[in-house]
Amino acid sequence: MKLDPSFIWEAFVKLLPVIPTTLLITVVSVACGFVIGTAVAFVRIYKVPVLHPIASAYVTFIRGTPMLTHLLIIYFGLPMIIDAVSAQLGLGFRSASIPMIDFAFLAFSITAGGYMSEVVRSGLLTVNRGQIEAAYSVGMTTPQAIRRIVFPQAMAASIPNLANSFIGMLHASTLAFTVSVVEIFAKAQIVASTNWKFFEAYLAAAVIFWGLTVLIERVAVILEKRMNLYNRGGVA
Amino acid sequence: MKKTMIGTAGLALVAMTVVATGCGAKNDANEAGANASGSAQTDNASGGNAAADVKKIIVGTGTQFPKVCFLDENGKLTGFDVELVKEVDKRLPGYEFEFQTLDFSNLLLSLETKKIDFVAHEMEQNPDRAAKYLFNKEAYAHWKTKIIVPKESKATFKNLDDLKGKKVLTTATSAEATLLETYNKSHDDAIKIVYTNGAANDTVSQLTSGRVDATLGADFTLSLIDPQGKLESVGDALEEADVQFVFRKDDPDEQKLADAVDGALKEIKDDGTLSKLSVQWLGADYTQK
């Protein structure tokens, strides 16, 4: 097996322009996933009637099926529903005008939400119940107590796991190519399709993914330090 | 901090290369071992006759190409390429072929790392590819690549120039992708290429929903990707390609194998078996130029 180092570099340069696509998919899905996950975590912790079993079902379904399945269900299922509804109402809107990347955004957000709800839940559980009682005793309402006391501490405890989810979604974003969205890994295949130097292209993609991961790790460290400022010494 | 990061990345690259080379070496050893034990077994079975010379060859192919290499309803690997390789095997007493199915884009890497000995997957030759791999001399099929459009669009594209400004769907690792890219290189990216990895099998739905205007494909593949006949091919043949087996380059054993395969292939061609296989699997004789 012969390696062509110059092509690794050539592929690396050609992969750079698609980094924003990968990052966009990751950031959008993690951000939406975080919102979904937080809502689901609260619903499950406070056992909100009616919503509680739905939230549990959502988490077990998402974690129990592959991410590719979510993407394909959204990609094939959603247009059917949209077109049927649109025809029924005579809107003249065709699902073909939805950009492909939106299917990836939606599907990956749903996936990320399932996993991140557990991350947020574990963070919320680290905050001692006594703290919320203490908050009540100084006259705070439940939303106040959660916003000012519980949530900041829960976030600080969740940062390592959230970074984990973020990195996981970064790498999982390669699945977006299934719906014709060209991200880093897809571009690596495209770059290599004329000369079949796939290994070199994959190495270049690996270097980029690692670089991005290192960046995320650094940001997570900074965030963790900042959010744990409250916890400097003293009695926990 | 930036400096350290670049340093780390460089280090990683070196580490990976070392690992890669290491893997290659290990596979060599493995293969040698496997071959040795393989022939030893034959020795025992045949009591040390001439059969001891039978060499085991691993043939790499895929399962995602209907009628060429695919799993039939009983889960059996079959198709034009598969049956042809079996026919070649029958005529080469010195070799024993065994199939190994892999993803398309991993086939060539596996060939280079000696996990398989040659590739049978309707591979088209082009100069870039020929520089890196060894192709046998006898082509066993000839493709005519054409433009494919949805029937109801009534589009009348004649050649690539007519596709300027249109969205054209193609599989990332295919010969059609190379064709489009080569055109775009000399025509200022005039064609909007939409890539897919084929995993969603959505060619027909992308075309009929109007997401893309056209795709390119070999003439015989149309009935395979579109059994319901919603698509049609239009215009001139954009490219005629020779389909061959792919071997490792700069490897005397591989050259010997390629020559042997060529010999058998010539026989299969001359006695009409090849045309028969083509009609049986591909619906017409695509083996003549």
Side-chain angles (χ1 to χ4, degrees):
Chain A
M1 154 129 214
K2 246 189 275 164
L3 205 65
D4 178 1
S6 69
F7 189 69
I8 300 179
W9 174 247
E10 202 182 308
F12 183 83
V13 173
K14 283 183 182 162
L15 294 184
L16 293 177
V18 292
I19 291 179
T21 313
T22 292
L23 283 180
L24 188 66
I25 297 171
T26 313
V27 170
V28 169
S29 52
V30 169
C32 298
F34 182 69
V35 174
I36 298 171
T38 309
V40 169
F42 274 113
V43 165
R44 293 187 74 188
I45 284 182
Y46 290 94
K47 298 213 163 47
V48 179
V50 186
L51 290 180
H52 171 236
I54 297 175
S56 301
Y58 163 73
V59 173
T60 125
F61 176 75
I62 292 303
R63 295 200 304 178
T65 46
M67 195 169 156
L68 183 59
T69 316
H70 310 155
L71 182 60
L72 291 176
I73 289 175
I74 295 291
Y75 175 54
F76 285 114
L78 200 60
M80 257 189 250
I81 297 171
I82 290 177
D83 285 340
V85 170
S86 168
Q88 195 91 135
L89 303 177
L91 296 176
F93 179 81
R94 299 260 300 137
S95 61
S97 58
I98 303 171
M100 284 291 205
I101 200 165
D102 288 355
F103 293 111
F105 286 159
L106 184 60
F108 294 170
S109 298
I110 291 171
T111 311
Y115 287 95
M116 291 176 94
S117 76
E118 286 297 277
V119 173
V120 176
R121 199 168 67 92
S122 75
L124 290 173
L125 291 178
T126 58
V127 183
N128 199 314
R129 234 198 110 63
Q131 298 212 18
I132 229 176
E133 278 162 16
Y136 288 153
S137 74
V138 294
M140 286 191 196
T141 60
T142 307
Q144 274 177 337
I146 286 170
R147 205 171 59 240
R148 296 183 191 172
I149 310 291
V150 179
F151 206 62
Q153 295 183 73
M155 277 309 96
S158 304
I159 290 281
N161 272 330
L162 285 175
N164 227 350
S165 296
F166 198 100
I167 292 167
M169 287 310 290
L170 173 78
H171 299 323
S173 71
T174 51
L175 284 179
F177 191 34
T178 313
V179 293
S180 294
V181 175
V182 175
E183 38 63 57
I184 294 171
F185 201 70
K187 190 73 183 173
Q189 289 190 13
I190 292 165
V191 165
S193 62
T194 41
N195 56 15
W196 286 351
K197 290 180 182 165
F198 291 109
F199 190 51
E200 284 86 343
Y202 291 164
L203 280 181
V207 170
I208 291 181
F209 273 116
W210 195 13
L212 292 176
T213 306
V214 168
L215 268 179
I216 295 169
E217 284 169 346
R218 294 275 157 106
V219 171
V221 168
I222 294 168
L223 273 180
E224 202 180 329
K225 274 198 185 132
R226 225 190 120 59
M227 296 193 98
N228 272 317
L229 273 183
Y230 76 89
N231 205 8
R232 255 183 315 197
V235 187
Chain B
M1 187 167 108
K2 206 175 164 193
K3 224 180 199 168
T4 24
M5 255 176 58
I6 294 170
T8 332
L11 206 78
L13 195 63
V14 172
M16 273 184 230
T17 325
V18 170
V19 169
T21 348
C23 282
K26 211 163 88 196
N27 282 325
D28 271 351
N30 275 346
E31 203 191 36
N35 276 345
S37 62
S39 47
Q41 268 169 14
T42 349
D43 261 342
N44 288 341
S46 59
N49 289 345
D53 297 336
V54 172
K55 207 173 162 205
K56 201 166 194 183
I57 296 295
I58 309 289
V59 185
T61 189
T63 54
Q64 300 290 326
F65 202 151
K67 303 289 173 195
V68 168
C69 47
F70 69 109
L71 302 174
D72 66 8
E73 58 270 28
N74 304 319
K76 195 174 139 261
L77 182 70
T78 187
F80 177 61
D81 278 34
V82 173
E83 296 307 322
L84 175 61
V85 168
K86 282 184 186 162
E87 189 64 37
V88 172
D89 188 18
K90 257 188 232 162
R91 292 167 196 240
L92 292 176
Y95 293 102
E96 191 196 325
F97 291 174
E98 194 186 301
F99 286 103
Q100 167 84 50
T101 53
L102 292 155
D103 264 2
F104 179 82
S105 51
N106 290 335
L107 276 172
L108 295 153
L109 271 183
S110 306
L111 178 67
E112 283 182 78
T113 52
K114 303 191 177 180
K115 290 192 176 58
I116 55 179
D117 298 305
F118 76 89
V119 177
H121 199 290
E122 287 291 306
M123 292 291 202
E124 283 178 40
Q125 199 188 132
N126 75 18
D128 269 336
R129 293 171 176 184
K132 207 181 170 203
Y133 299 94
L134 174 71
F135 288 82
N136 68 315
K137 290 187 198 71
E138 286 289 324
Y140 61 89
H142 302 278
W143 276 12
K144 287 191 183 71
T145 305
K146 285 191 166 179
I147 299 169
I148 295 172
V149 295
K151 254 181 200 157
E152 56 183 31
S153 78
K154 306 219 163 37
T156 52
F157 305 119
K158 272 195 85 73
N159 48 37
L160 286 180
D161 288 326
D162 292 341
L163 291 177
K164 276 185 185 169
K166 303 285 181 196
K167 283 188 186 163
V168 181
L169 184 73
T170 189
T171 309
T173 48
S174 66
E176 289 84 13
T178 314
L179 189 69
L180 289 167
E181 281 160 15
T182 317
Y183 180 86
N184 263 357
K185 233 174 239 167
S186 54
H187 291 82
D188 204 23
D189 287 331
I191 299 174
K192 292 183 196 134
I193 306 177
V194 178
Y195 290 98
T196 166
N197 62 2
N201 290 318
D202 56 349
T203 306
V204 178
S205 76
Q206 286 222 34
L207 277 160
T208 50
S209 68
R211 263 186 198 284
V212 295
D213 300 296
T215 184
L216 302 186
D219 35 15
F220 78 85
T221 56
L222 189 55
S223 60
L224 311 179
I225 56 170
D226 172 37
Q228 292 170 328
K230 288 181 179 161
L231 310 178
E232 62 180 353
S233 64
V234 292
D236 314 326
L238 303 173
E239 186 185 54
E240 293 187 23
D242 291 346
V243 174
Q244 285 145 316
F245 297 120
V246 190
F247 300 80
R248 253 191 314 280
K249 229 187 163 114
D250 303 322
D251 184 334
D253 282 347
E254 287 277 289
Q255 184 64 54
K256 228 172 83 191
L257 176 63
D259 291 343
V261 169
D262 267 335
L265 210 48
K266 224 172 148 56
E267 264 178 46
I268 295 170
K269 244 183 190 174
D270 288 345
D271 67 11
T273 315
L274 187 62
S275 301
K276 225 184 284 167
L277 279 173
S278 174
V279 172
Q280 182 194 343
W281 290 107
L282 309 178
D285 188 359
Y286 292 101
T287 63
Q288 310 297 329
K289 240 192 176 140

